[in-house]
Amino acid sequence: MPPRDELELHALFEPDVDVMNVRRQIAHAGVPEGSIHVLSPVPLSGAASDRIAGIPLYVVTVLAGLVGIGVGLFFAAGTAAMYPLMTGGKPIVAPPVVGIVSYETMMLVAIVTTFLTTVVKVRATNSEIRFRDARIDEGRMAVAIRVPMVGTIAGAVREALEQAGAIDVQASVIMDEEETVAQRVGPAASLLLPIALAGALVGCSQDMQEQASYQSQEAPRLHSPEGSIPRASRGVLKARSTSAGPSEERGAALFRINCVHCHGVQGDGDGPVAPYLKEPPGNLKNDEVRAMTDEQIYGVLTEGKDMMPSFKGELSANERLDLARFVASLSRPTTVRADGSEDH
Amino acid sequence: MDTRHAVWNDMRGINRDLLAPLSEVSGRYLLLVACLAALVAAGAGAWLYQIETGIGQTNMHPPIFWSSYIASFVYWIGVSHSGTFISGVLRLTKAEWRRPVTRIAELMTIISVMIAGLCVFFHLGRVWRWYYLIPYPNQREIWPDFRSPLMWDATAVFTYATASTIYLYLPLIPDFALARDRVGGWRKPIYTLLSLGWKGSQREWETLNTAIRIITPLIVMVMISVHSIVGWDFGMSLVPGWHTSIIAPYFVVGAVHSGLGMVAIGLYVVRRTYGWEQYIRKEHFDKLGKLLVVTTLTLAYLYFADQLTVWYGKKPDEMAILHSMITGDYAVPFWAMIALIYIFPLALLTNPTFRAWPVGMLCMGIGINIGMYVERALIIVPPLTHPRLTYQWSQYFPSWIELTILTGALALAVLLYVLLSKFVPLISIWEEKEGRLHAAAR
């Protein structure tokens, strides 16, 4: 492509240059304001900064936020409208929930859109300038101006720049930008993104029936299906005491499961449901229990007593024996408590 | 105080100092990377073993369905508040001292959010079904239950991760341009791509500053919502000890507390490693210490208000949890936590000499983070081991598989930080220059 008939002049200045004065002088030479770019290593405050053309960024943010609220409403309220399932007697979506989801989508869309708009604006601005001098970041200022190659304006601007105290003035003919890395990578990235998304979607099976589970109309099986996660490999109770025998430890575990809710952790008859019973549960440390043998306690567990039901159906004979030994041990000076700690 | 002219002349030196870490690779650095990579490999191996043999490798069991992985998720999300709080809130309040601190903290945010996300995956029994977490309808066209706080959590964490990546990247654009012109090799094309052709014209600066000004309050609002929703994961359930209205603000303040502690660690390590005493000054530790006093007092107030209500109500199911922490199975971690996050910070950080002592602030940061991790575990474990009916009462301590995976995750966080320090300038160079010019003008 033949070179366009434009010239970019760039001038480097000491940091204490009066930027406004330089701009005035260049404008006086016949260059429109919009073609003058002041480059600096930090943002300049006040009059030196440029106004940005186009829709203000905050308007973009507000509009995107409103769209984000719409996305949230579509997701949450739309779900309720399209799938009017009642779970637990309630619709799947409630107004406060729609609010929470919409709040997050509002923020997401607002922030992402603001960011993308910023990227576009920055790219649009700096594509007008070809000049980049690493000395700017070392504490210099620069001015870049685009002028027509024909005519006297270029010479007038160069003169104005030198008069304003430029320490280095260069000129370059505007040609098509060399292919940047971004442009080389751009097409590849735009291809990769849909491929990655498509790959992600392929991976997302919707079919829950793929996982190991009972299938519809299948006869009940005694064992868990192959591939499901076992959970019986671990005991629930981890008794730390070694003083009590294994039988008592097993009894403590059974006590916690079957007895504590009425008789309490210590067997004092103060379990969490005790206040709601017509007849208070027995204190397992009282004289009556203390006087009983393991076998007598076993008998009570097997047949029940007063309000207490029989545990013949719930516990095997061995389990009842373990439990009876533990109950008997509650009255002794040192015993394993139902929560696993030692009681002295 | 520097004059403006001296600051302009110093800019070359600032570039040299702050870009130096990008090109220096010492033997110690490589050794550190190797050690961290070994720990990460151990964690990855343990995770593979857990995936292969099932979630039963953890010590979770009914009714303890959440445990160390979820505690770590909550902890890492909390740490991620460091960047947003330091960067966002201090930018909003135009606090000049934020300048050398923001980037260090924002990098922590990104890495912590990633690690937090990873902890959720550790917790999945069948991690190959991870996409059930994404809101899309299953084969019966039933969408996920939007009433579940876990659903809100997925939305909020995704928003936060995206927003904090943007918030890290925006102020990095001019610094990437700086690196593009000065660092060669394989990084140059990446810097060129990421710097968006930045030239430093006033229109670019104005656009960038406007974008940062707009996004800052938004990301602070997202930050508050994220940890509130993490709190509601617990608060919306009826589990005794979780079902309290104070849990959302308590989580947010706790997150900022641990985040600030982590920033203290980061500041010390970066300052010490690169000899940046003239950039990260004692003044910065002092300011950070003052903020920590505020978070300590606020957190203590919320915690006391919550526990006082529990104690006064004397509901048996809640009292069982309180007793297990004060005098029961969890008394040792509980009192250690009280000392590390409340007593030591209050006793020491109210002393100006201590606040200006970088080593002291490093120890304080480590202590607060250990304390806050224990605090997260104590929120989850005691209520789950003490359900309403005592027949389910139980105990929990993580298995070696859980501990290995979580150690690997911690090592991964440090490794990512160490690797990123060779790519991203750890102090925002243009903001540092701008700050010095502002200081000279005053």
Side-chain angles (χ1 to χ4, degrees):
Chain A
M1 188 176 281
R4 281 176 280 169
D5 48 355
E6 269 195 323
L7 198 67
E8 187 174 291
L9 286 169
H10 14 88
L12 205 67
F13 290 91
E14 289 293 347
D16 48 7
V17 64
D18 181 354
V19 177
M20 291 312 293
N21 183 37
V22 176
R23 291 184 82 135
R24 262 196 307 275
Q25 290 197 26
I26 300 167
H28 189 68
V31 178
E33 269 289 307
S35 304
I36 307 170
H37 296 280
V38 178
L39 316 182
S40 60
V42 291
L44 300 176
S45 52
S49 66
D50 277 344
R51 294 286 116 223
I52 310 163
I55 308 168
L57 201 54
Y58 71 88
V59 175
V60 174
T61 312
V62 170
L63 290 176
L66 292 174
V67 172
I69 294 174
V71 170
L73 288 176
F74 171 77
F75 252 109
T79 302
M82 290 165 71
Y83 307 99
L85 287 173
M86 303 295 274
T87 49
K90 292 173 186 168
I92 197 167
V93 176
V97 172
V98 175
I100 290 170
V101 174
S102 303
Y103 177 88
E104 296 300 335
T105 49
M106 171 183 78
M107 290 296 183
L108 181 67
V109 177
I111 291 174
V112 171
T113 311
T114 307
F115 167 66
L116 293 177
T117 313
T118 305
V119 170
V120 170
K121 278 183 181 249
V122 166
R123 286 293 294 154
T125 306
N126 62 33
S127 62
E128 292 171 14
I129 313 164
R130 290 193 55 213
F131 179 57
R132 173 73 193 176
D133 192 324
R135 285 176 292 179
I136 297 172
D137 284 320
E138 287 167 3
R140 299 284 183 276
M141 304 277 271
V143 176
I145 314 113
R146 225 170 240 213
V147 289
M149 229 159 91
V150 289
T152 56
I153 196 164
V157 170
R158 181 183 276 270
E159 201 174 311
L161 289 169
E162 279 163 0
Q163 272 179 7
I167 48 178
D168 184 15
V169 182
Q170 293 172 27
S172 58
V173 179
I174 301 294
M175 299 185 48
D176 274 344
E177 292 266 324
E178 285 172 26
E179 198 184 21
T180 63
V181 173
Q183 284 162 334
R184 280 203 301 274
V185 175
S190 60
L191 266 178
L192 278 175
L193 193 66
I195 292 173
L197 281 176
L201 285 175
V202 167
C204 296
S205 163
Q206 291 192 331
D207 206 349
M208 272 179 100
Q209 68 190 8
E210 276 174 23
Q211 61 180 312
S213 59
Y214 290 114
Q215 300 302 312
S216 169
Q217 304 297 313
E218 187 181 354
R221 289 182 290 193
L222 288 175
H223 299 290
S224 305
E226 192 181 352
S228 56
I229 308 292
R231 68 178 205 199
S233 54
R234 222 177 6 258
V236 171
L237 181 83
K238 294 207 173 76
R240 285 175 292 167
S241 166
T242 50
S243 61
S247 171
E248 272 184 28
E249 279 186 25
R250 287 197 300 274
L254 293 168
F255 185 81
R256 187 163 44 73
I257 294 168
N258 295 285
C259 317
V260 165
H261 43 280
C262 293
H263 290 287
V265 177
Q266 315 261 17
D268 294 324
D270 59 351
V273 300
Y276 306 101
L277 298 175
K278 280 184 185 164
E279 202 176 297
N283 178 350
L284 301 179
K285 292 173 179 169
N286 65 16
D287 292 341
E288 188 190 344
V289 181
R290 204 187 294 260
M292 292 167 86
T293 62
D294 289 0
E295 288 70 25
Q296 284 170 320
I297 298 174
Y298 175 86
V300 172
L301 291 172
T302 308
E303 302 302 334
K305 182 172 185 289
D306 304 331
M307 292 289 285
M308 179 176 146
S310 155
F311 280 81
K312 213 185 319 187
E314 279 72 27
L315 301 174
S316 69
N318 281 337
E319 284 174 331
R320 273 173 277 150
L321 195 59
D322 291 337
L323 189 50
R325 283 181 184 146
F326 174 74
V327 171
S329 75
L330 282 172
S331 321
R332 286 204 295 272
T334 302
T335 182
V336 181
R337 262 185 12 208
D339 62 0
S341 60
E342 278 182 25
D343 187 16
H344 294 276
Chain B
M1 176 80 59
D2 283 339
T3 64
R4 281 177 70 83
H5 195 72
V7 175
W8 281 97
N9 283 338
D10 274 354
M11 284 189 184
R12 183 193 291 248
I14 296 175
N15 293 345
R16 191 187 51 237
D17 287 351
L18 299 185
L19 286 176
L22 301 186
S23 41
E24 291 166 2
V25 179
S26 64
R28 277 167 62 196
Y29 176 84
L30 292 175
L31 185 67
L32 177 66
V33 169
C35 292
L36 290 170
L39 282 174
V40 173
W47 189 23
L48 278 176
Y49 182 67
Q50 178 190 293
I51 293 171
E52 184 65 30
T53 52
I55 197 79
Q57 292 297 342
T58 68
N59 272 350
M60 281 187 279
H61 54 264
I64 300 152
F65 45 85
W66 282 0
S67 63
S68 57
Y69 297 145
I70 297 298
S72 304
F73 164 76
V74 178
Y75 168 76
W76 282 110
I77 287 282
V79 170
S80 77
H81 283 42
S82 55
T84 326
F85 183 81
I86 286 278
S87 193
V89 174
L90 299 187
R91 235 181 214 132
L92 275 182
T93 53
K94 295 192 165 55
E96 283 290 328
W97 69 272
R98 72 170 194 273
R99 292 178 186 274
V101 187
T102 48
R103 183 74 50 73
I104 294 173
E106 283 163 9
L107 273 175
M108 282 177 183
T109 296
I110 302 288
I111 293 172
S112 316
V113 172
M114 284 163 60
I115 302 294
L118 203 56
C119 288
V120 174
F121 283 79
F122 296 153
H123 187 74
L124 297 180
R126 301 175 188 199
V127 71
W128 54 95
R129 302 283 180 199
W130 64 272
Y131 51 84
Y132 286 176
L133 291 169
I134 303 172
Y136 79 109
N138 64 18
Q139 86 276 18
R140 291 178 194 144
E141 296 210 321
I142 297 172
W143 281 69
D145 187 354
F146 276 96
R147 276 187 301 152
S148 162
L150 299 181
M151 194 44 236
W152 317 340
D153 215 1
T155 323
V157 172
F158 179 74
T159 302
Y160 189 50
T162 313
S164 29
T165 311
I166 288 171
Y167 197 56
L168 169 73
Y169 174 62
L170 277 181
L172 256 173
I173 297 173
D175 284 354
F176 279 146
L178 193 76
R180 169 193 66 192
D181 298 338
R182 285 166 181 77
V183 179
W186 60 272
R187 283 172 295 187
K188 194 176 176 69
I190 305 176
Y191 286 137
T192 308
L193 183 69
L194 291 175
S195 60
L196 303 174
W198 182 267
K199 302 289 194 312
S201 73
Q202 298 315 299
R203 267 172 237 170
E204 288 168 290
W205 283 119
E206 185 63 25
T207 309
L208 184 74
N209 273 336
T210 310
I212 294 174
R213 263 202 308 277
I214 291 173
I215 292 181
T216 302
L218 297 185
I219 199 161
V220 172
M221 286 155 76
V222 174
M223 171 194 96
I224 292 170
S225 79
V226 169
H227 225 65
S228 297
I229 290 177
V230 172
W232 291 335
D233 285 346
F234 299 88
M236 294 294 157
S237 73
L238 295 177
V239 174
W242 290 359
H243 190 61
T244 160
S245 59
I246 218 164
I247 202 155
Y250 178 70
F251 265 52
V252 173
V253 177
V256 174
H257 196 49
S258 59
L260 290 177
M262 196 57 102
V263 172
I265 301 173
L267 280 188
Y268 177 85
V269 174
V270 169
R271 171 186 148 110
R272 183 73 203 270
T273 310
Y274 300 116
W276 283 347
E277 281 82 4
Q278 79 272 34
Y279 295 98
I280 303 169
R281 297 182 298 277
K282 290 188 172 175
E283 167 207 3
H284 295 105
F285 289 97
D286 178 61
K287 295 274 177 21
L288 203 58
K290 283 180 182 166
L291 278 180
L292 275 167
V293 172
V294 175
T295 52
T296 307
L297 286 171
T298 316
L299 195 67
Y301 163 67
L302 291 175
Y303 197 62
F304 179 72
D306 190 30
Q307 299 303 335
L308 179 76
T309 316
V310 168
W311 173 80
Y312 201 84
K314 289 276 191 298
K315 280 161 77 179
D317 33 12
E318 290 184 342
M319 286 308 284
I321 297 162
L322 194 59
H323 280 145
S324 78
M325 291 202 289
I326 292 176
T327 54
D329 290 338
Y330 304 104
V332 174
F334 175 80
W335 290 109
M337 179 268 283
I338 294 285
L340 286 170
I341 66 176
Y342 299 123
I343 297 174
F344 291 155
L346 261 192
L348 297 172
L349 292 175
T350 41
N351 179 345
T353 320
F354 184 89
R355 286 199 303 267
W357 182 36
V359 179
M361 288 298 287
L362 168 77
C363 299
M364 187 55 71
I366 294 172
I368 286 176
N369 271 277
I370 294 174
M372 284 308 294
Y373 189 86
V374 172
E375 194 266 352
R376 299 317 190 188
L378 285 179
I379 284 179
I380 292 176
V381 176
L384 287 180
T385 51
H386 293 81
R388 285 198 170 80
L389 285 180
T390 41
Y391 75 92
Q392 275 193 314
W393 281 17
S394 181
Q395 284 167 327
Y396 166 83
F397 190 81
S399 70
W400 69 269
I401 290 278
E402 289 173 87
L403 293 174
T404 314
I405 291 177
L406 293 174
T407 310
L410 173 65
L412 179 64
V414 182
L415 179 64
L416 286 175
Y417 207 99
V418 167
L419 292 178
L420 276 175
S421 72
K422 293 289 161 210
F423 185 73
V424 174
L426 287 178
I427 291 182
S428 180
I429 301 174
W430 68 271
E431 286 183 281
E432 176 69 23
K433 290 173 183 169
E434 190 188 34
R436 290 193 182 200
L437 284 172
H438 286 182
R442 277 201 298 271

